[in-house]
Amino acid sequence: MDMQNRPGGRTGSGPMASAADANVERRERLKQLAMEIIDLQKDPYFMINHLGTYECKLCLTLHTNEGSYLAHTQGKKHQQNLLRRKAREGKDLNAMMHMAKQNQPKPQKHKTIKIGRPGYKVTRTVENTSKVLYFELYYEDIQPGFIPKHRVMSAFEQKIEQPDKNYQYLIFAGEPYENISFKIPNQEIETQEGKFQPVWDKDKKIYSLRVQFREKKNNK
């Protein structure tokens, strides 16, 4: 058979390589490259069995020599199994981390034993036609280093009473006392310096607050 003048062949060249020949040549190149750069002693899936043949523990394949095994490691089957193993190990690691996180003891919140409401005194007065309220709260047994706090809450934030748009609430807090609130008119409060400034007397343990309501402007 004339291989030189077969269709597709060039004059002076050998016959065109078939697909099978090209695959064999590619595998041989990969094998040679792998033998140069891969250390089998560091391959966790490489094993020599009792028969003296080479075995891939990942793919469960047998090989007659190192070159055959190395060519296998560059093939599609081995690479796909590596990806599957990596994905499975990633899921297992995530699952273990999730279980470890769930098994960790939850930090216990420090619960303060309440000792009731603090004593208080409220004074109402008028200054320059503006309504003013003076609050004094007595925290004789307040926790060391703790400074009482206050905040204004709208009637629609609280869940104790039916909301009334004409009122708002002034709340005071100081551990270990229970919070105490006062129902005050829902008017704008003066927040300028000195008009809504709390004072904490740490020696007498008295928390004072002056609340001045802004005057309503009459519509002309």
Side-chain angles (χ1 to χ4, degrees):
M1 181 177 179
D2 187 0
M3 300 296 293
Q4 181 174 353
N5 297 318
R6 64 187 295 183
R10 291 183 300 170
T11 303
S13 66
M16 289 186 64
S18 64
D21 294 334
N23 287 334
V24 170
E25 184 179 355
R26 181 181 60 82
R27 286 198 298 269
E28 185 63 26
R29 288 199 307 270
L30 291 175
K31 180 177 72 175
Q32 295 298 328
L33 179 62
M35 292 180 68
E36 293 177 3
I37 63 175
I38 296 178
D39 185 359
L40 290 178
Q41 301 302 322
K42 298 180 180 179
D43 188 341
Y45 306 113
F46 174 72
M47 182 183 73
I48 301 177
N49 60 25
H50 65 286
L51 299 176
T53 56
Y54 301 95
E55 184 175 345
C56 175
K57 292 188 291 183
L58 178 64
C59 305
L60 303 179
T61 54
L62 298 175
H63 305 276
T64 55
N65 52 55
E66 293 183 0
S68 174
Y69 173 82
L70 289 171
H72 161 74
T73 61
Q74 307 304 307
K76 181 178 180 180
K77 179 180 180 180
H78 188 83
Q79 295 299 320
Q80 287 181 342
N81 287 337
L82 282 176
L83 292 175
R84 292 192 188 100
R85 172 64 66 89
K86 186 177 294 185
R88 186 165 62 250
E89 289 177 349
K91 290 181 180 178
D92 293 343
L93 179 60
N94 291 336
M96 290 175 61
M97 292 177 64
H98 180 69
M99 290 179 61
K101 186 175 181 181
Q102 290 207 345
N103 292 332
Q104 286 181 351
K106 295 182 179 180
Q108 296 183 353
K109 295 183 178 180
H110 177 68
K111 294 183 178 180
T112 302
I113 299 176
K114 301 295 184 179
I115 61 174
R117 296 178 180 178
Y120 64 88
K121 178 181 178 182
V122 181
T123 305
R124 298 175 177 85
T125 185
V126 177
E127 295 181 6
N128 299 325
T129 70
S130 296
K131 295 178 181 179
V132 179
L133 295 175
Y134 289 96
F135 293 88
E136 283 188 355
L137 291 97
Y138 310 111
Y139 292 99
E140 294 91 347
D141 299 314
I142 194 168
Q143 287 184 357
F146 192 95
I147 299 177
K149 300 176 181 178
H150 71 275
R151 68 169 292 223
V152 177
M153 175 188 290
S154 74
F156 298 94
E157 288 184 75
Q158 55 86 31
K159 306 296 181 183
I160 306 301
E161 299 181 350
Q162 187 70 20
D164 186 341
K165 65 179 181 179
N166 296 315
Y167 295 94
Q168 56 189 340
Y169 294 84
L170 181 60
I171 302 174
F172 295 90
E175 297 289 355
Y177 292 90
E178 295 179 359
N179 293 353
I180 184 170
S181 65
F182 297 89
K183 196 172 183 179
I184 61 177
N186 188 19
Q187 297 178 17
E188 191 173 0
I189 297 175
E190 292 282 4
T191 57
Q192 298 177 6
E193 186 176 357
K195 294 187 177 181
F196 192 60
Q197 185 67 32
V199 177
W200 170 236
D201 188 334
K202 64 179 181 180
D203 296 324
K204 296 182 179 181
K205 307 292 180 65
I206 299 176
Y207 188 77
S208 305
L209 181 65
R210 179 182 182 276
V211 180
Q212 179 175 340
F213 296 98
R214 187 165 294 176
E215 292 185 57
K216 292 183 178 180
K217 294 182 179 179
N218 295 325
N219 295 327
K220 296 182 179 179

